[in-house]
Amino acid sequence: MIALGCDHGGYELMQEVIAYLKEKGLEYKNFGCNSTESVDYPVYAKQVAKAVQSGECDKGILICGTGIGISITANRFKGIRAALCGDCFSAEATRQHNDANILAMGGRVTGPGLAVKIVDTFLNTEFSNGERHVNRIRGIDEE
Ligand code: RB5
């Protein structure tokens, strides 16, 4: 199950992502928003972060205008590794190296064709499980 969240700046790109998930028959839970009316991105980032943190959802996708505010918010939650990606190389590497569990994108930055390829890459790339990467991820939460 994939948790989805966006603000007004990410709403239109999220509709493209939803169309892709439907086409692939992938299950998702949409936490909104549901229009281009102005809203506050932390509301949606928090709901998606909590759904992934609790295990209710395996992964999340967050989209705001830049992808920045929504990823900063999600990354406040322990165990959440939200990666802002604007290219497929980063989407692949962040799964392999960081075991990122949330993909963030900028609806005013990344076009729909590329965004769908980024989503596809993110969802279909496994964590490498390499020892050095496991240790570094553990290090993220150490004081
Ligand atoms: C909304 O105007 C915009 O600030 C928001 O979508 C996002 O880009 C914030 O980081």
Side-chain angles (χ1 to χ4, degrees):
M1 181 72 77
I2 301 159
L4 305 180
C6 67
D7 74 354
H8 54 289
Y11 176 77
E12 283 176 6
L13 186 57
M14 185 58 89
Q15 305 320 299
E16 303 285 339
V17 171
I18 289 171
Y20 161 85
L21 296 175
K22 280 184 177 162
E23 183 193 314
K24 296 287 176 188
L26 297 169
E27 287 195 314
Y28 60 88
K29 182 167 179 180
N30 190 1
F31 290 89
C33 67
N34 297 307
S35 77
T36 55
E37 193 180 320
S38 183
V39 292
D40 298 328
Y41 59 79
V43 172
Y44 305 95
K46 288 177 183 177
Q47 290 181 78
V48 168
K50 285 178 185 174
V52 175
Q53 189 183 48
S54 69
E56 179 191 357
C57 294
D58 317 300
K59 289 197 178 80
I61 299 174
L62 286 171
I63 310 177
C64 66
T66 58
I68 296 171
I70 213 156
S71 56
I72 289 173
T73 310
N75 277 318
R76 292 283 172 96
F77 289 75
K78 194 171 180 188
I80 293 301
R81 293 176 298 280
L84 172 56
C85 295
D87 63 90
C88 293
F89 179 85
S90 299
E92 183 178 54
T94 198
R95 286 290 308 127
Q96 291 173 335
H97 293 200
N98 315 123
D99 197 15
N101 46 21
I102 293 181
L103 168 67
M105 295 189 292
R108 296 172 181 157
V109 180
T110 306
L114 176 57
V116 164
K117 282 195 180 297
I118 291 170
V119 170
D120 188 68
T121 303
F122 185 83
L123 296 180
N124 290 301
T125 304
E126 295 299 321
F127 177 47
S128 71
N129 250 309
E131 195 181 342
R132 69 185 190 282
H133 297 306
V134 172
N135 287 337
R136 288 165 188 164
I137 290 168
R138 195 177 295 126
I140 292 172
D141 288 325
E142 283 171 5
E143 293 288 317

